[in-house]
């Protein structure tokens, strides 16, 4: 055969083989695919072949709701499209954020287009159904939050928070002002700030955003907060905030999250957040194969979603209009399972416990695969309202698997694009609340003050906002009169809720005085005393506040004492130290108090170490003193760079040396944390640099007390200027190529930040820290296995147990995995070696075909 013909034949055979391979292969790899993982087929009896698009009337017939309740249609397309956030105005009109740009096809094309809108819906004839819609604002790119404020509207359009107004009364926005920037959500809308909830303490607070916004005149002041959450945020009567991050249906901040951000070196803060729900089960009413990782063992049970995977928009219902059966319950949206689940809330030992309210069923379910509840709230009437995005595709392209993409195409789930419904849930016998004025904005200040005692939380919150915005002297005078026990029996006999509302209304008006605060602090209800302290932070001068906190630190209730210490963060250093030391002497056994102490220690570290050294603090051995010594030392050893300042290190070592003879247990607790920072068990321990020779250090080394043998290996890796027996080890300088690789890993780490945070501290007790983690600093192949396949099972990091399922990293190549692992092993003071792509490739080959997560047990990292 001539060579030219033979070449053509060979080329034809090769093209034919390639074509056969292409036609028999699965869809093009998706961002959520994990290399080497087999996405198996579901059993035939679990498969669904049809998913018809239904009208709102037909969708209504698919609902199954708990006996005693009914669901009603409020609005549907074309009146509303792709609703993702709702807020009722004082006039009863409903403001809706429409995220029309979200996933307009399975590839997410067009998400950068200005398709988003803010729409205002109105019921003009009073029949309970919206019949009029006005586009207030359009041309938005992926808007995600809304709040009414003053004479305009706050809107989150990443990266900005906008204040938008209609100045000519035509119903359309005509002015816009950027109030803040820094919102994520461009490119990956699943992990970005949202919410804008008007909270009890008169701030606009978000979920998954590192600051909250405090109104000051016509401006908003930013205050740093712990940035946890996911989609949605809610609040209970006492001002505690709630979040629902995907597979964890209900987290709660037991204290305000701004306190957890006071000390950037603090590893974790007890109760911010805390897990409220431990039972994650859900109960769909139909087969739900369209779950992103439904092929994994345990994700589906009998073809239905077994546990939360897309939990979002928690709603804590506070009010009796829905009957006492709903009062105090939590409703959690689960769009992946086409349902809304309900928990009943209780309090035990200062912790919130969420227990499934309805047995082995979910509160509201639908057999329509396109029922996508993404937002829940209460209206001014006390009813529950649900935003239903009504679409087939809810998984974002950044995480979609081939398994899901195939189902999207088989069942034509890409359509419809611009549908949307809003539903109302009410008791079968109707709402049971007092009549609310049709337009609260037209109420007099006296009427609004009365509405602060409404049984329905949305009415109280709205009345408080209007009163704060007005700052009417008549309202202030009236509120002061009802807050003083000499003029009213309110504090002694009434429930705490109206008191808190009135207290924070006065605070928002800048009208709190010492007489009122003292009167409120005299309440026999601990929660009222707690809030009196919080408002006092803003209202009193330092000397007066310190006097109040000195009384509070001896309160009979632990919650009041903890708040007294947290409020001491507003004091100058000298006054704060007095409160701090008093708190620790009384409550050092309390984990909550220790967290508060570490939070407020910034700026008074030297004074605290001196008090420890002279015996004023930590004089007696015990679990609490040892724990605080370790927690405090950890915080002092850590700054934003992940390494201690030389002066602080010298002071810590000098303190340990001074107490070693009389309190060796204390010296040991402190030195063990120094040793942990040095990573003494590693192949190459880390040298720490002190500012000078620590006082008493060599004397202690010469005759170390029993159980302090750890001091000797610590000393081998200590240096200070002028020390001659230990050589200074200069930090390694990376080559340009290595810097490029590290920067690549740093950029890829953006995929991990929503859980593990930009500072590597995680969000205890849900997501573990990577900073200083023995797992991160340990065996590289273990890390590669976790990123390739995910992780499940209990692990322990820094003494905290974690049991959250971690999905595989949304990274495609061996180089990407190696880069991000190299970054986390060298960032924030971590000093483990880099990982190369060849090692990752080797692990990938060894675990090829695995279609389930790695377990902590098989990796040898399971917690006891």
């Amino acid at each position: 055969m001539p060579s030219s013909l033979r070449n053509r034949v060979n080329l034809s055979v090769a093209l034919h083989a390639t074509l056969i391979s292409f036609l028999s292969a699965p869809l093009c790899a998706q961002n959520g695919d994990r290399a080497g993982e087999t996405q198996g087929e579901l059993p035939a009896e679990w498969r669904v072949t049809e998913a018809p698009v239904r009208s709102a009337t037909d969708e209504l017939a698919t609902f199954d709701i708990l006996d005693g309740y009914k669901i009603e249609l409020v609005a549907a397309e074309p009146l509303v499209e792709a609703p993702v956030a709702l807020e009722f105005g004082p006039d009863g009109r409903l403001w809706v954020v429409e995220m029309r740009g979200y996933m307009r096809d399975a590839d997410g094309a067009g998400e950068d287009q200005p398709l988003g809108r803010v729409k205002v819906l109105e019921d003009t004839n009073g029949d309970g159904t919206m019949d009029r819609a006005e586009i207030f604002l359009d041309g938005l790119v992926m808007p995600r939050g809304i709040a009414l404020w003053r004479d305009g509207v706050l809107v989150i359009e990443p990266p900005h928070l906008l204040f938008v107004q209609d100045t000519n009364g035509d119903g359309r926005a005509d002015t816009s002002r950027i109030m803040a920037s820094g919102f994520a959500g461009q490119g990956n809308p699943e992990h970005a700030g949202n919410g804008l909830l008007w909270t009890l303490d008169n701030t606009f607070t978000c979920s998954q955003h590192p600051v909250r916004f405090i109104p000051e005149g016509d401006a908003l002041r930013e205050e740093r907060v712990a940035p946890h959450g996911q989609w949605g945020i809610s609040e209970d009567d006492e001002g505690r905030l709630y979040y629902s991050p995907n597979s964890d249906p209900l987290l709660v901040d037991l204290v305000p999250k701004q306190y957890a951000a006071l000390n950037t070196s603090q590893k974790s803060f007890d109760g911010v957040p805390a897990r409220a729900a431990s039972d994650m089960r859900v109960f769909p009413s139909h087969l739900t194969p369209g779950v992103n990782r439904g092929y994994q063992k345990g994700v589906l049970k009998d073809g239905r979603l077994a546990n939360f995977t897309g939990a979002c928009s928690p709603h804590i219902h506070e009010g009796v209009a829905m009957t006492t059966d709903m009062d105090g319950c939590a409703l959690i949206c689960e769009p992946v399972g086409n349902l809304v689940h309900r928990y009943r809330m209780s309090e035990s030992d200062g912790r919130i416990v969420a227990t499934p309210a309805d047995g082995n069923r979910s509160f509201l379910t639908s057999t329509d695969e396109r029922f996508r509840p993404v937002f829940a709230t209460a209206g001014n009437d006390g009813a529950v309202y649900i935003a239903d995005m009504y679409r087939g595709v809810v998984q974002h392209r950044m995480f979609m698997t081939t398994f899901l993409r195939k189902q999207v195409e088989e069942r034509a789930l890409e359509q419809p694009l611009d549908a949307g419904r809003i539903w109302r849930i009410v008791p079968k016998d109707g709402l049971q609340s007092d009549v609310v004025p049709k337009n609260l904005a037209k109420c007099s200040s006296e009427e609004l003050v009365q509405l602060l005692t409404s049984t329905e939380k949305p009415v109280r919150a709205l009345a408080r906002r209007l009163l704060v915005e007005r700052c009417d002297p008549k309202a202030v005078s009236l509120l002061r009169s009802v807050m003083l026990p000499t003029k009213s029996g309110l504090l002694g006999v009434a429930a705490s809720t109206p008191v808190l509302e009135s207290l924070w209304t006065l605070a928002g008006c800048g009208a709190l005085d010492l007489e009122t605060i003292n009167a409120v602090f005299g309440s026999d209800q601990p929660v009222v005393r707690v809030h009196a302290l919080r408002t006092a932070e803003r209202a009193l001068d330092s000397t007066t506040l310190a006097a109040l906190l000195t009384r509070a630190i001896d309160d009979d209730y632990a919650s009041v004492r903890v708040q007294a210490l947290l409020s001491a963060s507003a004091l100058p250093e000298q006054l704060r130290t007095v409160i701090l030391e008093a708190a620790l002497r009384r409550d050092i056994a309390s984990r909550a108090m220790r967290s508060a102490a570490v939070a407020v220690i910034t700026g008074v570290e030297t004074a605290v170490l001196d008090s420890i050294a002279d015996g004023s603090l930590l004089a007696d051995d015990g679990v609490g003193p040892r724990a605080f010594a370790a927690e405090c030392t950890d915080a002092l050893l850590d700054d934003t760079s992940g390494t201690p300042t030389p002066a602080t290190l010298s002071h810590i070592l000098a303190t340990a040396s001074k107490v070693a003879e009389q309190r060796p247990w204390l010296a040991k607790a402190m030195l063990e944390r120094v040793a942990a920072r040095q990573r003494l068990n590693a192949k190459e321990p880390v040298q720490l640099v002190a500012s000078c020779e620590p006082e008493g250090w060599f004397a202690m080394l010469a005759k170390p007390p029993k159980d302090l043998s750890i001091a000797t290996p610590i000393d081998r890796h200590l240096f200070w200027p002028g020390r001659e027996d230990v050589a200074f080890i200069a930090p390694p300088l990376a080559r340009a190529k290595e810097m490029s690789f590290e920067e690549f890993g740093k950029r890829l780490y953006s995929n991990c930040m929503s859980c593990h945070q930009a500072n590597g501290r995680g969000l205890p007790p849900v997501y573990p820290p990577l900073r200083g983690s023995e797992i991160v600093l340990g065996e590289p192949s273990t890390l590669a296995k976790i990123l390739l396949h995910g992780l499940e099972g209990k692990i322990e990091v820094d003494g905290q147990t974690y049991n959250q399922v971690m999905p595989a990293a949304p990274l495609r190549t061996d180089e990407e995995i190696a880069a991000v692992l190299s970054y986390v092993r060298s960032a924030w003071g971590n000093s483990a070696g880099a990982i190369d792509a060849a090692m990752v490739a080797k692990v990938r080959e060894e675990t090829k075909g695995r279609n389930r997560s790695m377990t902590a047990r098989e990796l040898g990292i399971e917690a006891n």
Side-chain angles (χ1 to χ4, degrees), residues 217-412:
D218 61 355
L220 294 174
R221 176 169 62 87
E222 298 183 17
E223 181 178 35
R224 191 173 65 227
V225 297
H228 48 270
Q230 188 83 27
W231 182 266
I233 181 173
S234 190
E235 182 187 48
D236 66 18
D237 280 346
E238 296 184 12
R240 291 173 293 214
L241 299 177
Y242 295 79
Y243 316 84
S244 296
N246 286 350
S247 57
D248 219 322
L250 199 60
L251 303 180
V252 57
D253 292 337
L254 297 176
V255 298
K257 60 183 177 180
Q258 67 268 21
Y259 296 119
L262 289 173
N263 188 344
T264 58
S265 296
Q266 188 166 10
K267 287 189 173 182
S268 63
F269 191 103
D270 183 61
V272 182
R275 180 176 287 114
S278 57
D279 189 331
M280 318 296 188
R281 295 175 301 159
V282 291
F283 303 94
S285 56
H286 69 129
L287 295 175
T288 57
V291 179
N292 199 35
R293 302 199 186 277
Y295 54 84
Q296 290 187 340
K297 182 180 179 182
V299 174
L300 302 180
K301 180 180 180 181
D302 298 328
R304 305 180 186 204
L305 183 66
N307 298 288
F308 275 105
T309 189
C312 66
S313 188
H315 167 60
I316 309 302
H317 194 85
E318 304 278 12
V320 299
M322 290 285 291
T323 75
T324 55
D325 175 66
M326 184 65 76
D327 187 24
C329 285
L331 294 173
I332 314 296
C333 295
E334 173 48 276
V336 177
N338 319 118
L339 59 86
V340 177
H341 200 71
R342 186 169 71 143
Y343 289 98
R344 204 167 296 284
M345 313 289 282
S346 61
E347 192 167 348
S348 177
D349 295 328
R351 298 279 162 164
I352 301 297
V353 179
T355 306
D358 305 310
N360 291 336
R361 67 154 295 159
S362 291
F363 176 75
L364 169 66
T365 63
S366 171
T367 56
D368 190 335
E369 189 168 5
R370 288 178 173 80
F371 172 54
R372 305 296 192 182
V374 296
F375 194 89
T377 189
N380 299 349
D381 57 356
V384 172
Y385 289 78
I386 304 290
D388 171 10
M389 213 171 177
Y390 201 77
R391 54 175 18 248
V393 179
V394 288
Q395 183 67 63
H396 192 255
R397 61 179 174 82
M398 292 289 292
F399 307 100
M400 185 179 290
T401 61
T402 296
F403 171 85
L404 180 57
R405 174 69 178 264
K406 181 180 178 182
Q407 295 186 61
V408 167
E409 298 186 356
E410 287 176 348
R411 298 199 291 279

Side-chain angles (χ1 to χ4, degrees), residues 458-512:
V459 175
R460 297 195 303 269
L462 189 49
R464 174 168 38 84
R465 179 173 68 80
L466 294 174
L467 285 167
V468 168
E469 290 172 5
R470 292 181 187 179
C471 283
D472 184 349
K474 291 182 179 179
V476 169
S477 177
L478 180 59
L479 284 167
R480 280 180 173 165
S481 69
V482 300
M483 293 297 292
L484 295 176
T486 57
K487 299 182 181 180
S488 169
L490 182 64
L491 292 181
V493 297
S496 64
T497 300
V499 181
L500 300 184
E501 292 285 0
S502 300
L503 176 65
W504 281 106
T505 302
L506 284 173
C509 293
L512 273 180

Side-chain angles (χ1 to χ4, degrees), residues 202-204 212-216 219-223 538:
N202 305 317
T203 67
F204 292 105
R212 65 177 189 162
F213 303 96
I214 304 173
E216 293 184 347
L220 294 174
R221 176 169 62 87
E222 298 183 17
E223 181 178 35
R538 306 182 188 181

Side-chain angles (χ1 to χ4, degrees), residues 170-203:
D170 66 354
R172 296 275 298 186
D174 48 49
T175 66
S176 177
R177 178 161 54 111
I178 295 175
M179 304 298 291
S181 297
F183 277 87
Q186 297 172 297
N188 184 0
E190 290 200 19
H191 298 288
N194 62 88
L196 276 183
L197 180 69
W198 174 253
T199 53
L200 179 61
D201 58 357
N202 305 317
T203 67

